[in-house]
Amino acid sequence: MIRQEEVYKIGRLGKTHGVKGEISFQFDDDIFDRTDADFLVLEIDGILVPFFMEEYRFRSDSLALVKFCDIDTQQRAAELTGCDVYFLRSLAEEDDTPTLNSLVGFDLVDAKGGKKVGTIAAIDDSTANVLFELEDGQLVPATDDLITQIDVHKKTIIMQIPEGLLDI
């Protein structure tokens, strides 16, 4: 059984495409294309279920059409519409550079004192300045200039947090 802490969200399934079971996949992380991934994990009724991909093709830099194995009609594909799509963290770690979305759940540690600041709950990339949103609602700039180390095995990010930033 796949557990929630083993995956991270990379997108959502949209409308069906054609009559042979293809479905649109709106993604914000193309890790499934950059690694040797045979499957994506879909959340169906609160359960994480792997679905093997027969093929996929890109329509834009954030939209792909996916054909899953054994989903061969428009009706079967329609049952998957609206499902959140996840990717296994273990497969993502094979890629040299972690993606922003894969950092959700990591602990943020201040480099000065080694103190844990919080845990990343979400990534806010709605503006030019990407932010880590911590579980307590605090926002921390996710800039390379501040990040000193990312340890994917310990799930920690060490940052040089500017004086007073967390007091805002």
Side-chain angles (χ1 to χ4, degrees):
M1 180 177 212
I2 300 172
R3 295 186 313 264
Q4 191 69 40
E5 59 269 8
E6 295 174 337
V7 296
Y8 69 98
K9 186 176 174 183
I10 63 169
R12 186 176 193 89
L13 295 180
K15 301 185 303 185
T16 60
H17 182 80
V19 295
K20 297 191 179 187
E22 278 189 314
I23 190 165
S24 64
F25 170 35
Q26 184 74 38
F27 60 90
D28 38 54
D29 189 335
D30 67 349
I31 188 74
F32 65 96
D33 187 51
R34 292 183 284 123
T35 61
D36 252 349
D38 296 329
F39 64 93
L40 295 173
V41 178
L42 306 183
E43 184 174 14
I44 300 176
D45 296 329
I47 300 171
L48 297 172
V49 182
F51 276 77
F52 286 86
M53 295 180 288
E54 193 172 298
E55 64 182 4
Y56 62 89
R57 56 194 163 106
F58 290 98
R59 299 288 284 203
S60 71
D61 61 350
S62 63
L63 183 73
L65 296 176
V66 179
K67 170 76 174 75
F68 291 109
C69 295
D70 299 325
I71 304 293
D72 51 7
T73 65
Q74 183 178 16
Q75 291 78 17
R76 294 276 319 259
E79 294 172 7
L80 302 176
T81 297
C83 286
D84 287 334
V85 180
Y86 295 85
F87 197 78
L88 286 178
R89 289 184 188 275
S90 60
L91 290 177
E93 289 172 4
E94 293 173 7
D95 194 19
D96 290 340
T97 54
T99 62
L100 276 174
N101 289 336
S102 69
L103 299 178
V104 172
F106 278 48
D107 289 331
L108 197 61
V109 177
D110 189 359
K112 289 177 188 152
K115 181 182 169 196
K116 177 181 168 184
V117 174
T119 302
I120 299 172
I123 306 295
D124 181 353
D125 60 357
S126 60
T127 64
N129 298 319
V130 178
L131 301 168
F132 292 135
E133 183 177 332
L134 303 182
E135 288 177 335
D136 64 0
Q138 287 184 304
L139 299 173
V140 178
T143 175
D144 290 338
D145 297 339
L146 299 178
I147 297 173
T148 58
Q149 181 183 4
I150 298 175
D151 188 331
V152 292
H153 299 294
K154 292 181 181 177
K155 294 182 72 173
T156 59
I157 299 172
I158 300 174
M159 292 185 72
Q160 294 286 342
I161 298 175
E163 192 74 34
L165 180 70
L166 300 175
D167 300 330
I168 298 175

